[in-house]
Amino acid sequence: MVQRITRDELKKKIDEGLVTVVEALPAQYYNDKHLPGALNLPHDQVDRLAPGLLPDKEAEIVVYCANEPCPNSGIAAERLAELGYVNVREYGEGKDDWVGAGLPTESGA
């Protein structure tokens, strides 16, 4: 089972450049707004896109989606773990929690 990460932990890691952040939503939601520096890896395209987007299976990766009820981040994070990524965590509260806290986002591809 993939471990969780809190918003505060994630913000610190993003600020320090210590993590690869992955949004597990379809491109239109990612393009609208995403966490700073996040890559777009829709949950149903992990097998196809992960090798190119995430070549280092040892890297620290945090996966998120929209909010707690959204299953995409959990699906993507578990699949990454199954594919041999050894340091995957999930930010289950997701983009809604991040935006609700007034933290910055980026837009576009």
Side-chain angles (χ1 to χ4, degrees):
M1 180 168 185
V2 172
Q3 297 295 310
R4 302 284 291 246
I5 189 170
T6 67
R7 179 182 56 224
D8 291 342
E9 288 177 286
L10 178 55
K11 182 173 184 330
K12 184 173 192 273
K13 288 183 179 290
I14 289 172
D15 290 347
E16 295 172 353
L18 297 176
V19 66
T20 300
V21 182
V22 174
E23 179 167 317
L25 293 169
Q28 68 265 28
Y29 300 105
Y30 171 83
N31 291 336
D32 179 49
K33 73 173 142 249
H34 52 269
L35 274 60
L39 303 173
N40 188 212
L41 182 64
H43 75 288
D44 58 355
Q45 297 179 41
V46 171
D47 287 24
R48 184 171 66 81
L49 297 178
L53 286 176
L54 306 167
D56 182 1
K57 291 191 174 186
E58 304 287 324
E60 185 170 4
I61 299 168
V62 173
V63 185
Y64 73 92
C65 58
N67 50 40
E68 198 70 52
C70 176
N72 295 24
S73 59
I75 293 167
E78 290 295 339
R79 186 62 190 140
L80 287 170
E82 290 168 0
L83 292 171
Y85 292 85
V86 297
N87 198 1
V88 179
R89 294 172 78 185
E90 180 189 6
Y91 173 38
E93 293 78 11
K95 192 171 5 185
D96 289 354
D97 177 67
W98 186 270
V99 170
L103 296 171
T105 60
E106 298 173 350
S107 298

